[in-house]
Amino acid sequence: SSELTQDPAVSVALGQTVRLTCQGDSLRRYYASWYQQKPGQAPVLVFYGKDNRPSGIPNRFSGSSSGNTASLTITGAQAEDEADYYCNSRDSSGFHLVFGGGTKLTVL
Amino acid sequence: QVQLQESGPQLVKPSETLSLTCTVSGGPIISDSYTWGWIRQPPGKGLEWIASISHSGSTYYNPSLKSRVTISVDTSKHQFSLNLTSVIVADTSSYYCVRHAPTYSSGTVDSWGQGTLVTVSS
């Protein structure tokens, strides 16, 4: 079982805004990172830290954090954003990586 | 831009050892800024961290797999490797080698190999 909890599935209408959440006690100490994974492909980092977006990631992807919950917001979702999204961080020891179970995002 | 490439057998028999190697190119393997690791994903399921190693050889293991896993690094070959012993059908997964932030940081994985599907079957 994951130490980070994500909703299994979320849907959003094309062009609308959607927020994906990730909950876990370790998020009170460590920032979450977010990954997008499309079928048959390796995950891609889309947001990390307090406010960091890797080069090439559209600015419609943003992140935030409050208490034990981290969020990834997609403002103006596009058809190509339909994918699985995973969050990750550290466990309470600081040594081990942990992943959320993933959220399947459907763009309607 | 660093690139990671997994190599190893795609089919392993139950009870045998799964061995994978990751070759790092386009960037240094010796760096205090990064740690090298393995993550796996069973077909249709989520991501599971397996193990990580620093360039100096400090190792970290998922407690649920620790008794069966060994990770090692060969900086002269720009490679790091994974051994998983006594495999079972449930170890069938895509295995990714990755680069991630060091211990006590958030653990951001900024580089992924393309992944290799390893099937455990007789």
Side-chain angles (χ1 to χ4, degrees):
Chain A
S1 63
S2 301
E3 294 186 32
L4 299 178
T5 301
Q6 298 182 250
D7 291 326
V10 173
S11 61
V12 61
L14 184 67
Q16 296 303 300
T17 296
V18 62
R19 186 173 70 175
L20 309 181
T21 61
C22 174
Q23 288 188 305
D25 286 342
S26 64
L27 298 182
R28 298 183 185 277
R29 180 175 181 183
Y30 299 106
Y31 284 109
S33 304
W34 291 90
Y35 308 88
Q36 177 192 70
Q37 186 180 34
K38 296 181 179 180
Q41 298 182 16
V44 173
L45 178 66
V46 295
F47 200 89
Y48 66 101
K50 184 177 181 180
D51 188 19
N52 298 286
R53 194 182 314 107
S55 173
I57 301 301
N59 60 12
R60 62 179 179 271
F61 290 89
S62 63
S64 62
S65 182
S66 178
N68 73 336
T69 302
S71 300
L72 176 72
T73 299
I74 307 174
T75 303
Q78 302 300 301
E80 60 263 32
D81 299 334
E82 185 164 289
D84 293 327
Y85 289 83
Y86 294 92
C87 62
N88 99 300
S89 188
R90 293 278 181 182
D91 71 354
S92 55
S93 76
F95 292 116
H96 306 144
L97 300 186
V98 291
F99 283 87
T103 296
K104 182 177 183 61
L105 177 67
T106 300
V107 180
L108 303 173
Chain B
Q1 174 125 358
V2 71
Q3 292 186 318
L4 307 174
Q5 179 66 58
E6 305 90 352
S7 59
Q10 295 178 306
L11 180 64
V12 181
K13 290 182 168 55
S15 80
E16 295 188 344
T17 296
L18 181 161
S19 296
L20 295 173
T21 296
C22 182
T23 301
V24 180
S25 60
I29 195 168
I30 298 176
S31 172
D32 289 334
S33 298
Y34 299 107
T35 300
W36 308 95
W38 292 93
I39 291 168
R40 71 179 182 177
Q41 183 174 36
K45 296 187 178 181
L47 301 168
E48 179 182 36
W49 170 71
I50 303 170
S52 297
I53 188 167
S54 69
H55 71 86
S56 62
S58 297
T59 56
Y60 311 93
Y61 295 105
N62 185 322
S64 69
L65 297 168
K66 185 175 182 178
S67 63
R68 298 195 291 133
V69 173
T70 304
I71 189 171
S72 59
V73 64
D74 186 335
T75 55
S76 66
K77 294 183 178 178
H78 286 257
Q79 293 177 334
F80 60 100
S81 299
L82 175 75
N83 277 355
L84 178 65
T85 62
S86 304
V87 297
I88 59 176
V89 171
D91 291 318
T92 295
S93 291
S94 290
Y95 285 78
Y96 296 97
C97 60
V98 301
R99 184 181 79 173
H100 66 81
T103 309
Y104 296 121
S105 70
S106 61
T108 300
V109 180
D110 71 341
S111 296
W112 298 71
Q114 66 183 24
T116 185
L117 176 62
V118 180
T119 301
V120 178
S121 175
S122 55

